[in-house]
Amino acid sequence: MTAVRLATLSIICLSLPALAQPAKTGADPAHRQAALELCDVMQMESTLASSINTMMDIQMQQNPMLAQHRPALDAFFRKHMSWEALKEDFLSLYVESFTETELREMITFYQTPTGKKAIKMMPVLVQKGAQIGMRRVQQNQADLQRLILQGAK
């Protein structure tokens, strides 16, 4: 596996937990409940699973040699990157980032037709965004390799 492909896979593996913060204790129960309701309305469990599968599929397309490691990668993601594994961290993230009122406003939005469409489109947007990023890396791979080699000196 090339260093660039290994680095790309590592970034994907590390990107989701980088969003989460350590669980915050002592949060107001109503505030935490609003965060939980928002995550439910946003279908975080299925969206997270779909996004991970999409990223994995893209990586398999980009580097078919990774296919032999798919079962191990799937097991890793189910264990460490599933909604159950990340739920408390995401709840803390939302509680720390938004007031209870803001969370309730987002819940209201995501229950509208436009909000529901945004939820439905998120995995598609993640996939297309990842493809744009991979295409850009491929287009500029020579520059990346040059910068890596210069940094190694």
Side-chain angles (χ1 to χ4, degrees):
M1 181 178 330
T2 68
V4 172
R5 288 190 176 135
L6 183 58
T8 302
L9 182 59
S10 297
I11 289 168
I12 289 170
C13 290
L14 296 173
S15 64
L16 289 174
L19 297 174
Q21 301 294 317
K24 181 180 179 181
T25 57
D28 174 32
H31 194 173
R32 185 183 184 286
Q33 181 61 32
L36 181 59
E37 288 175 30
L38 176 64
C39 290
D40 287 343
V41 169
M42 291 173 56
Q43 303 172 6
M44 288 288 274
E45 184 172 2
S46 62
T47 300
L48 180 61
S50 178
S51 295
I52 289 170
N53 285 334
T54 297
M55 291 294 201
M56 293 285 291
D57 290 344
I58 290 169
Q59 285 302 306
M60 298 302 141
Q61 289 171 358
Q62 296 293 321
N63 185 1
M65 291 177 55
L66 284 177
Q68 65 183 332
H69 302 292
R70 181 75 185 243
L73 292 169
D74 285 338
F76 174 84
F77 281 113
R78 276 193 312 276
K79 182 177 181 180
H80 298 289
M81 306 300 288
S82 68
W83 175 241
E84 277 306 308
L86 297 175
K87 180 179 178 178
E88 291 303 318
D89 292 326
F90 273 97
L91 291 177
S92 292
L93 177 64
Y94 279 90
V95 166
E96 291 171 6
S97 300
F98 300 99
T99 66
E100 182 182 349
T101 300
E102 291 167 334
L103 291 169
R104 300 240 172 252
E105 289 171 353
M106 289 189 294
I107 291 167
T108 300
F109 167 72
Y110 283 118
Q111 291 174 329
T112 68
T114 301
K116 289 177 183 178
K117 180 178 180 180
I119 292 167
K120 182 180 175 184
M121 292 301 298
M122 194 57 60
V124 174
L125 296 172
V126 167
Q127 179 181 18
K128 289 182 177 184
Q131 289 171 341
I132 290 168
M134 290 302 296
R135 201 168 39 247
R136 185 60 55 97
V137 169
Q138 288 174 345
Q139 290 169 349
N140 297 288
Q141 191 168 357
D143 190 38
L144 176 59
Q145 289 173 343
R146 179 184 57 76
L147 291 169
I148 290 171
L149 290 173
Q150 286 177 346
K153 292 182 180 179

